[in-house]
Amino acid sequence: MTSRTLLARHGEALDLFTDRVHAVGTRQWDAPTPCAEWTVRDLVNHLTAEQLWVPPLLEGASLKDVGDVYDGDVLGDDPVAAWDTAAGAAREAFAAPGALQRTVTLSYGPTGADAYVAQMTADAVVHAWDLSRGIGADEHLPKALVDFTRREVGPYADSLAGSGLFARPVEPPEGADAQTRLLSLLGRQV
């Protein structure tokens, strides 16, 4: 996949999640989500913290360099603005000239920035569905993002449940569409 296509999918995933963040009602931040033990606020905090990591990692910082600066609540008093700022910085960092040719150090070791942006894209897509479910918004995911995410997570989906971050895959209903099959693969009850 070309860098241009990767960046396009990443931008589309950020736009989708941004749309859902902007749809969160003032009384919905404590609502449950399909992510076990995460409220809407916890979910948005998780994705926001992930975006905050992007610029320093692409600039060559190590996990040790960054430390625990993005642990805990990164949303403050204005979760929407915190998300917008973090997502904008991540988008800009990935789009910088040569950024996708770099290597970043993730918790499991050195990783190509192109693989990193693909993982971040898939995560934003799946969590956009989680957020949609949590706030009662449109749960439809664009086909291009569903297909991209399925190709991205397919090779390692079996190991995700073992990480403790995902539920075990569930059997999709017979004749399920691509989105339902993807969500089932990632342990979501559709």
Side-chain angles (χ1 to χ4, degrees):
M1 182 169 291
T2 68
S3 293
R4 173 178 267 177
T5 302
L6 275 171
L7 291 173
R9 292 294 91 79
H10 178 252
E12 292 162 8
L14 286 181
D15 290 345
L16 180 65
F17 196 81
T18 297
D19 180 66
R20 298 313 188 264
V21 170
H22 284 253
V24 176
T26 55
R27 295 191 176 137
Q28 292 181 307
W29 289 101
D30 291 325
T33 68
C35 301
E37 301 180 23
W38 274 1
T39 64
V40 166
R41 184 180 175 93
D42 296 330
L43 177 62
V44 173
N45 189 72
H46 165 70
L47 263 288
T48 302
E50 281 192 341
Q51 305 317 306
L52 291 170
W53 276 94
V54 173
L57 290 178
L58 286 173
E59 291 167 7
S62 70
L63 300 178
K64 185 178 178 182
D65 294 335
V66 177
D68 63 0
V69 71
Y70 302 129
D71 289 355
D73 179 22
V74 297
L75 297 178
D77 294 334
D78 191 345
V80 175
W83 163 258
D84 287 346
T85 299
R91 184 188 310 252
E92 188 175 307
F94 277 127
L100 296 187
Q101 284 71 50
R102 298 177 191 155
T103 299
V104 297
T105 303
L106 303 178
S107 59
Y108 51 85
T111 304
D114 57 341
Y116 179 38
V117 74
Q119 292 166 18
M120 293 288 284
T121 301
D123 201 45
V125 170
V126 173
H127 286 316
W129 181 86
D130 294 329
L131 185 53
S132 296
R133 172 71 49 110
I135 65 172
D138 179 10
E139 295 177 10
H140 172 76
L141 300 172
K143 181 180 180 344
L145 290 176
V146 168
D147 293 345
F148 176 90
T149 303
R150 178 63 191 241
R151 281 191 306 275
E152 171 59 25
V153 301
Y156 55 84
D158 291 340
S159 66
L160 291 175
S163 72
L165 299 174
F166 288 84
R168 294 213 174 290
V170 296
E171 189 65 33
E174 188 173 324
D177 63 12
Q179 176 175 314
T180 301
R181 289 193 312 274
L182 169 66
L183 296 169
S184 298
L185 179 66
L186 297 172
R188 270 54 177 186
Q189 299 286 340
V190 181

